[in-house]
């Protein structure tokens, strides 16, 4: 059997055999971002000084990514590799090692206050049948929720980390990075105010998000939503029949009006839960990835505007 590690090593060797540096402008800082949302933040701060490669693109699932030779080459050539951290990109350390990369690894979430995964909190909060609840799980006990980017105050921390890392790697660009970051932070402040106004218009008892995996914990904390998901904080684990049945009971008991599909996950589970609980599908939320540039969530800011519009439309009436 071929291990995943060996596959990655072979990919890296293959990548090293490819011709070097054809397209990249020599005076730009070569950087890699692990996934599309983070890539957009890096682009906004780095501007024209940075040649950016984003590994997990629009609609991609960074929880379960399989790097290819071009990814290994981008990492090998990079001066900076930006990751979300908090256990989001479990594959990145192996990729960096396999690629023989000398890049500085920048964890964009450094400094955010992590929240524990939702299933952990739930189990501590409720004391119902603890033995049975624990028996069936092989998932992430005590793990931090990695989706910190779903809170705009956290994204501002990411932007500060990105700015500081770019300045350290490219001191000549200091003034430009500072100006880009300041301009983008001002846009994020406006976005945050708009999201809060949008949330305020949704009646408080209806501020519930039910979607396939636990991607909106930080969003919920920042903006006053509770949320529930059949799948945990990673898309890797399948929800059990028991967890799904419990969620359906809760949707009925709480008279939840709408539940949401996500752009990165299989929609069948949510469609089944809607059919069995009587809730309607309220639309598609962008959780862990942007849409393609011409879609409704091609940037971080557009993603937030799309998500709050979708939530408002489904939950306000
Ligand atoms: Zn996720």
């Amino acid at each position: 059997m071929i291990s995943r590690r060996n596959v990655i090593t072979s990919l890296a060797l293959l990548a090293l055999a490819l011709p070097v540096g054809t397209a990249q402008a020599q005076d730009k800082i070569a950087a890699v971002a692990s996934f599309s949302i983070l890539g957009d933040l890096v682009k906004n701060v780095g501007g024209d000084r940075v040649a950016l490669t984003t590994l997990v693109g629009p609609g991609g699932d960074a929880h379960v990514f399989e790097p290819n030779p071009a990814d290994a080459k981008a990492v090998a050539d990079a001066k900076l590799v930006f990751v979300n951290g908090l256990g989001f990109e479990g594959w990145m350390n192996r990729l960096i090692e396999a690629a023989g990369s000398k890049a500085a690894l920048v964890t964009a979430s450094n400094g955010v206050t992590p929240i524990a995964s939702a299933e952990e909190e739930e189990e501590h909060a409720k004391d119902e049948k603890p033995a049975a609840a624990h028996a069936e799980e092989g998932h992430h006990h005590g793990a931090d929720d990695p989706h910190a980017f779903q809170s705009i105050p956290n994204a501002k921390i990411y932007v500060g980390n990105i700015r500081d890392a770019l300045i350290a790697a490219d001191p000549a660009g200091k003034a430009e990075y500072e100006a880009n970051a300041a301009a983008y932070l001002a846009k994020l402040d406006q976005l945050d105010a708009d999201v809060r106004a949008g949330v305020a218009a949704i009646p408080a008892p209806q501020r519930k998000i039910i979607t396939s995996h636990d991607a909106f914990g930080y969003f919920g904390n920042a903006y006053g939503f509770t949320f529930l998901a059949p799948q945990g904080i990673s898309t890797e684990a399948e929800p059990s029949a028991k967890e799904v049945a419990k969620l359906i009971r809760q949707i009925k008991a709480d008279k939840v009006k709408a539940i949401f599909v996500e752009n990165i996950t299989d929609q069948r589970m949510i469609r089944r839960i809607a059919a069995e609980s009587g809730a309607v599908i309220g639309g598609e939320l962008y959780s862990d990835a942007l849409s393609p540039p011409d879609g409704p969530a091609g940037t971080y800011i557009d993603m937030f505007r799309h998500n709050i519009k979708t939530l408002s439309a489904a939950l306000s009436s």
Side-chain angles (χ1 to χ4, degrees):
M1 200 170 121
I2 301 169
S3 75
R4 192 189 158 95
R5 189 192 176 89
N6 282 341
V7 170
I8 292 177
T9 306
S10 319
L11 289 175
L13 291 173
L14 237 173
L16 294 175
L18 295 171
V20 184
T22 41
Q24 220 153 63
Q26 282 161 338
D27 51 346
K28 294 199 179 192
I29 302 297
V32 164
S34 55
F35 72 118
S36 55
I37 293 170
L38 182 58
D40 183 53
L41 300 181
V42 173
K43 254 182 248 169
N44 274 285
V45 182
D48 293 338
R49 299 186 71 89
V50 173
L52 180 70
T53 301
T54 297
L55 299 184
V56 184
D61 182 353
H63 292 288
V64 291
F65 180 60
E66 299 280 350
N68 66 28
D71 300 324
K73 172 158 169 42
V75 167
D77 291 347
K79 190 165 185 185
L80 292 169
V81 172
F82 292 94
V83 292
N84 180 75
L86 299 169
F88 192 51
E89 306 96 338
W91 40 270
M92 183 60 97
N93 285 342
R94 286 192 304 266
L95 178 60
I96 286 174
E97 197 185 314
S101 176
K102 301 278 189 293
L105 185 66
V106 183
T107 302
S109 67
N110 266 348
V112 310
T113 304
I115 60 178
S117 76
E119 64 261 39
E120 160 111 326
E121 282 175 1
E122 194 180 319
E123 274 157 24
H124 284 245
K126 292 182 187 173
D127 251 333
E128 57 166 31
K129 296 182 201 158
H134 284 251
E136 65 197 345
E137 62 190 16
H139 55 220
H140 307 284
H141 236 286
D144 289 330
D145 180 340
H147 306 91
F149 47 85
Q150 284 292 355
S151 139
I152 299 163
N154 283 345
K156 292 175 65 181
I157 295 173
Y158 283 41
V159 167
N161 289 330
I162 292 165
R163 176 198 59 211
D164 295 348
L166 286 170
I167 291 171
D170 176 26
K174 185 171 189 280
E176 204 173 325
Y177 296 133
E178 282 176 345
N180 290 347
Y184 189 63
L185 288 170
K187 287 185 193 171
L188 292 181
D189 282 335
Q190 183 59 54
L191 179 67
D192 191 57
D194 293 346
V195 169
R196 286 176 198 281
V199 173
I202 300 173
Q206 290 170 35
R207 289 176 202 158
K208 294 196 179 90
I209 303 176
I210 294 171
T211 189
S212 35
H213 93 295
D214 276 353
F216 294 96
Y218 293 87
F219 182 94
N221 280 6
Y223 303 107
F225 276 81
T226 54
F227 84 106
L228 299 158
Q231 219 169 6
I233 54 166
S234 174
T235 55
E236 279 177 291
E238 286 290 318
S240 71
K242 202 190 217 170
E243 285 166 326
V244 172
K246 184 177 153 197
L247 184 59
I248 290 170
R249 282 199 303 276
Q250 195 162 355
I251 290 169
K252 288 180 178 167
D254 293 357
K255 299 186 167 50
V256 171
K257 294 171 54 150
I259 67 177
F260 299 87
V261 294
E262 283 175 57
N263 64 320
I264 65 150
T265 57
D266 190 328
Q267 303 188 348
R268 281 174 295 185
M269 172 66 67
I270 283 295
R271 294 196 180 279
R272 208 187 94 204
I273 290 171
E276 290 181 28
S277 67
V280 303
I281 303 283
E284 184 176 48
L285 298 176
Y286 287 78
S287 52
D288 294 19
L290 301 178
S291 72
D294 57 351
T299 66
Y300 180 78
I301 287 174
D302 286 347
M303 173 184 84
F304 249 88
R305 293 202 184 283
H306 169 88
N307 284 351
I308 194 66
K309 206 170 87 185
T310 302
L311 290 168
S312 299
L315 302 176
S316 287
S317 57

